[in-house]
Amino acid sequence: MTAGLCHSDVGVMEGVIPTPHGLPLILGHEASGVITALGPDVTGWAIGDAVVVADSIEDTPGGTHDGAYAEYFLATAARLVKLPEGMDWGQAAAATDAGLAAYTGVVVRGQVKAGDRVGIVGLGGLGLIGARIAVVLGATVYGVEPKDEPWAIAREQGVTEIVHDVSELAGADLDVIIDFAGFGTTTTGALEAVKRFGRVVLVGLGRTEFPFASFEFVMRNIDLLGASSQGKPEHLAAVIDMIASGDLKIAAAEVGFDEIPAGLERLKQGTVTGRLYATLPE
């Protein structure tokens, strides 16, 4: 079993992100593993199946009930996706939340298609995945990232141009911009960089409240949409298919299961590029 580490776990521990379950709670919502038991009336699954869980705010290990930072976890059968033979466990775990959240922002809510000019704001763990998904779809991708470290990775993923601040794209008239940072200024800057009748999708929660000037937003008929994982297995299956085909590889590094607290501290300090995952010792 492999569990991905996520910055939202830090938010839960700090009391910034509420959980329906309340505390205490075993975290770990990027959950993958092998089925060891089936509940009554569960059909279509067998003990020994390798699976991942499609997260949603209504139903997820590590959110609505105890999660995958443990030897066993419970999952709803209807939210499972079976893994292809030989799928890398680290990639599978990262796909469940980071991959699914990026896919939701780019494909489900952003409606990115071939030929679009797309801005990706924030080239962290989610943003890099979102950028690659947009490239795979045939879009021309412009990245925004204040730190220089992820730039080389982004270029390897097919990002055409990278700037330090979204304000540098003002007037670029991009078709779609997905804001994986969500610091307020990143979203308002995106509104200035997207075209008339364009679309801005907010995924990141760097700030939960921010003001913005509404005149240009209204006059230019811009769509501003929120995006979070909807828990639909078909969305997660699409991400898994991209990974299995080789089109998508999530930058992810392994830590020991007993190193999860240290890994979460690294996420808190902002010293992680890509994703982290922990594998339970056999």
Side-chain angles (χ1 to χ4, degrees), residues 182-220:
F183 282 101
T185 54
T186 54
T187 308
T188 56
L191 293 172
E192 296 179 4
V194 77
K195 71 179 185 180
R196 188 170 181 241
F197 297 103
R199 184 178 296 109
V200 174
V201 180
L202 178 56
V203 179
L205 289 170
R207 297 285 184 274
T208 54
E209 294 183 15
F210 59 89
F212 70 95
S214 60
F215 183 79
E216 288 293 320
F217 169 70
V218 173
M219 291 297 103
R220 295 173 59 225

Coordinates of all heavy atoms in Angstrom, one line a residue, residues 182-220:
G182 N -3.8 30.4 -6.2 CA -4.9 30.9 -5.5 C -4.6 31.9 -4.4 O -5.2 31.9 -3.3
F183 N -3.7 32.8 -4.7 CA -3.3 33.8 -3.7 C -4.0 35.2 -3.9 O -3.5 36.2 -3.4 CB -1.7 34.0 -3.7 CG -1.0 32.9 -3.0 CD1 -0.4 31.9 -3.7 CD2 -0.9 32.9 -1.6 CE1 0.3 30.9 -3.1 CE2 -0.2 31.9 -1.0 CZ 0.4 30.8 -1.7
G184 N -5.1 35.2 -4.6 CA -5.8 36.4 -4.8 C -5.2 37.2 -5.9 O -5.9 37.4 -7.0
T185 N -4.0 37.7 -5.8 CA -3.4 38.4 -6.9 C -3.1 37.5 -8.1 O -3.1 38.0 -9.2 CB -2.0 39.0 -6.4 OG1 -1.2 37.9 -5.9 CG2 -2.2 40.1 -5.3
T186 N -3.0 36.2 -7.8 CA -2.8 35.3 -9.0 C -4.1 35.2 -9.8 O -4.1 35.1 -11.0 CB -2.3 33.9 -8.5 OG1 -3.3 33.4 -7.5 CG2 -0.9 34.0 -7.9
T187 N -5.2 35.2 -9.1 CA -6.5 35.1 -9.7 C -6.9 36.4 -10.4 O -7.4 36.4 -11.6 CB -7.6 34.7 -8.7 OG1 -7.2 33.5 -8.0 CG2 -8.9 34.4 -9.5
T188 N -6.7 37.5 -9.7 CA -7.0 38.8 -10.4 C -6.1 39.0 -11.6 O -6.5 39.6 -12.6 CB -6.9 39.9 -9.4 OG1 -5.6 39.9 -8.8 CG2 -8.0 39.8 -8.3
G189 N -4.8 38.6 -11.5 CA -3.9 38.7 -12.6 C -4.4 37.9 -13.8 O -4.2 38.2 -14.9
A190 N -4.9 36.7 -13.4 CA -5.4 35.8 -14.5 C -6.6 36.4 -15.2 O -6.7 36.3 -16.5 CB -5.8 34.4 -13.9
L191 N -7.4 37.1 -14.5 CA -8.6 37.8 -15.1 C -8.1 38.8 -16.2 O -8.8 39.1 -17.1 CB -9.5 38.4 -14.1 CG -10.2 37.5 -13.1 CD1 -10.9 38.3 -12.0 CD2 -11.2 36.6 -13.9
E192 N -6.9 39.4 -16.0 CA -6.4 40.4 -16.9 C -5.7 39.7 -18.0 O -5.4 40.4 -19.1 CB -5.4 41.3 -16.1 CG -6.1 42.2 -15.1 CD -5.2 43.1 -14.3 OE1 -4.0 43.1 -14.7 OE2 -5.6 43.8 -13.4
A193 N -5.3 38.5 -17.9 CA -4.5 37.8 -19.0 C -5.4 36.9 -19.9 O -4.9 36.5 -20.9 CB -3.4 36.9 -18.3
V194 N -6.6 36.7 -19.5 CA -7.5 35.8 -20.3 C -8.2 36.6 -21.3 O -8.4 37.8 -21.1 CB -8.4 35.0 -19.3 CG1 -9.6 35.9 -18.9 CG2 -9.0 33.8 -20.0
K195 N -8.7 36.0 -22.4 CA -9.3 36.7 -23.4 C -10.8 37.1 -23.1 O -11.3 36.5 -22.1 CB -9.3 35.9 -24.7 CG -10.2 34.7 -24.7 CD -10.2 33.9 -26.0 CE -11.2 32.7 -25.9 NZ -11.2 32.0 -27.2
R196 N -11.4 37.9 -23.9 CA -12.8 38.1 -23.7 C -13.6 36.8 -24.0 O -13.2 36.1 -24.9 CB -13.3 39.2 -24.8 CG -14.7 39.7 -24.6 CD -15.0 40.9 -25.5 NE -16.3 41.4 -25.3 CZ -17.3 41.4 -26.3 NH1 -16.9 41.0 -27.5 NH2 -18.5 41.9 -26.0
F197 N -14.6 36.5 -23.1 CA -15.3 35.3 -23.1 C -14.4 34.1 -22.7 O -14.7 32.9 -23.0 CB -16.0 35.0 -24.5 CG -17.0 36.0 -24.8 CD1 -16.8 36.9 -25.8 CD2 -18.3 35.9 -24.2 CE1 -17.8 37.9 -26.1 CE2 -19.3 36.8 -24.6 CZ -19.0 37.8 -25.5
G198 N -13.2 34.4 -22.1 CA -12.3 33.3 -21.7 C -12.8 32.8 -20.3 O -13.8 33.1 -19.8
R199 N -11.9 31.8 -19.8 CA -12.3 31.1 -18.6 C -11.1 31.1 -17.7 O -10.0 30.8 -18.1 CB -12.7 29.7 -19.0 CG -13.2 28.8 -17.9 CD -13.6 27.4 -18.4 NE -14.7 27.5 -19.4 CZ -14.7 27.3 -20.7 NH1 -13.5 27.0 -21.2 NH2 -15.7 27.5 -21.4
V200 N -11.4 31.4 -16.4 CA -10.4 31.3 -15.3 C -10.9 30.3 -14.3 O -12.0 30.4 -13.9 CB -10.1 32.6 -14.6 CG1 -9.2 32.5 -13.5 CG2 -9.5 33.6 -15.6
V201 N -10.1 29.3 -14.0 CA -10.4 28.2 -13.1 C -9.6 28.3 -11.9 O -8.3 28.3 -12.0 CB -10.3 26.8 -13.8 CG1 -10.7 25.7 -12.8 CG2 -11.1 26.7 -15.0
L202 N -10.2 28.4 -10.7 CA -9.5 28.5 -9.5 C -9.4 27.2 -8.7 O -10.5 26.6 -8.4 CB -10.1 29.6 -8.6 CG -9.5 29.8 -7.2 CD1 -8.1 30.2 -7.3 CD2 -10.3 30.9 -6.5
V203 N -8.2 26.6 -8.6 CA -8.0 25.4 -7.9 C -7.3 25.6 -6.5 O -7.7 25.0 -5.5 CB -7.1 24.4 -8.7 CG1 -6.9 23.1 -8.0 CG2 -7.8 24.1 -10.1
G204 N -6.3 26.5 -6.5 CA -5.5 26.7 -5.3 C -6.2 27.5 -4.3 O -7.1 28.3 -4.6
L205 N -5.8 27.3 -3.0 CA -6.4 28.0 -1.9 C -5.4 28.7 -1.0 O -5.4 28.6 0.2 CB -7.2 27.0 -1.0 CG -8.5 26.4 -1.6 CD1 -9.1 25.3 -0.8 CD2 -9.5 27.5 -1.8
G206 N -4.5 29.4 -1.7 CA -3.5 30.2 -1.0 C -4.1 31.2 -0.1 O -3.6 31.6 0.9
R207 N -5.2 31.8 -0.6 CA -6.0 32.7 0.1 C -7.5 32.3 0.0 O -7.9 31.9 -1.1 CB -5.9 34.2 -0.4 CG -4.5 34.8 -0.2 CD -4.2 35.2 1.2 NE -2.9 35.8 1.3 CZ -1.7 35.2 1.4 NH1 -1.7 33.8 1.5 NH2 -0.6 35.8 1.5
T208 N -8.2 32.3 1.0 CA -9.6 31.9 0.9 C -10.6 33.1 0.7 O -11.8 32.9 0.5 CB -10.1 31.2 2.2 OG1 -9.8 32.0 3.4 CG2 -9.3 29.8 2.3
E209 N -10.1 34.3 0.8 CA -10.8 35.5 0.5 C -9.9 36.5 -0.1 O -8.8 36.7 0.3 CB -11.4 36.1 1.8 CG -12.5 35.3 2.5 CD -13.1 36.0 3.7 OE1 -12.9 37.2 3.8 OE2 -13.7 35.3 4.5
F210 N -10.5 37.2 -1.2 CA -9.7 38.3 -1.8 C -10.6 39.2 -2.6 O -11.6 38.7 -3.1 CB -8.6 37.7 -2.7 CG -9.1 36.9 -3.8 CD1 -9.4 37.4 -5.0 CD2 -9.2 35.5 -3.6 CE1 -9.9 36.6 -6.1 CE2 -9.6 34.7 -4.7 CZ -10.0 35.2 -5.9
P211 N -10.3 40.5 -2.7 CA -11.2 41.4 -3.5 C -10.7 41.4 -4.9 O -9.5 41.1 -5.2 CB -10.9 42.7 -2.8 CG -9.5 42.6 -2.3 CD -9.3 41.2 -1.9
F212 N -11.6 41.7 -5.8 CA -11.1 42.0 -7.2 C -12.0 43.0 -7.9 O -13.2 43.1 -7.5 CB -11.1 40.6 -8.0 CG -12.4 40.1 -8.3 CD1 -13.0 40.3 -9.6 CD2 -13.0 39.2 -7.4 CE1 -14.3 39.8 -9.9 CE2 -14.3 38.6 -7.7 CZ -14.9 38.9 -9.0
A213 N -11.4 43.7 -8.9 CA -12.2 44.7 -9.6 C -13.1 44.0 -10.6 O -12.7 43.2 -11.4 CB -11.2 45.6 -10.3
S214 N -14.4 44.3 -10.5 CA -15.4 43.6 -11.2 C -15.7 44.1 -12.6 O -16.3 43.4 -13.4 CB -16.7 43.5 -10.4 OG -17.2 44.8 -10.2
F215 N -15.3 45.3 -12.9 CA -15.7 46.0 -14.2 C -15.2 45.2 -15.4 O -16.0 44.8 -16.2 CB -15.2 47.4 -14.3 CG -15.7 48.1 -15.5 CD1 -17.0 48.7 -15.6 CD2 -14.8 48.2 -16.6 CE1 -17.4 49.3 -16.7 CE2 -15.3 48.9 -17.8 CZ -16.6 49.4 -17.8
E216 N -13.9 44.9 -15.5 CA -13.4 44.2 -16.6 C -13.9 42.8 -16.7 O -14.2 42.2 -17.7 CB -11.9 44.2 -16.6 CG -11.2 45.5 -16.9 CD -11.4 45.9 -18.3 OE1 -11.3 45.0 -19.2 OE2 -11.7 47.1 -18.6
F217 N -14.1 42.2 -15.5 CA -14.6 40.8 -15.4 C -16.0 40.7 -16.0 O -16.3 39.8 -16.8 CB -14.6 40.4 -13.9 CG -15.4 39.2 -13.6 CD1 -14.9 37.9 -13.9 CD2 -16.6 39.2 -12.9 CE1 -15.6 36.8 -13.6 CE2 -17.3 38.1 -12.6 CZ -16.8 36.9 -12.9
V218 N -16.8 41.7 -15.7 CA -18.2 41.7 -16.2 C -18.2 42.1 -17.7 O -18.9 41.5 -18.5 CB -19.1 42.7 -15.4 CG1 -20.5 42.9 -16.0 CG2 -19.2 42.2 -13.9
M219 N -17.5 43.2 -18.0 CA -17.6 43.7 -19.4 C -17.0 42.8 -20.4 O -17.4 42.7 -21.6 CB -16.9 45.1 -19.5 CG -17.6 46.2 -18.7 SD -19.2 46.6 -19.4 CE -20.3 45.8 -18.2
R220 N -16.0 42.0 -20.0 CA -15.4 41.1 -20.9 C -16.0 39.7 -20.9 O -15.5 38.7 -21.5 CB -13.9 41.0 -20.6 CG -13.2 42.4 -20.9 CD -11.8 42.4 -20.5 NE -11.0 41.4 -21.2 CZ -10.1 40.6 -20.6 NH1 -9.9 40.7 -19.3 NH2 -9.4 39.7 -21.3

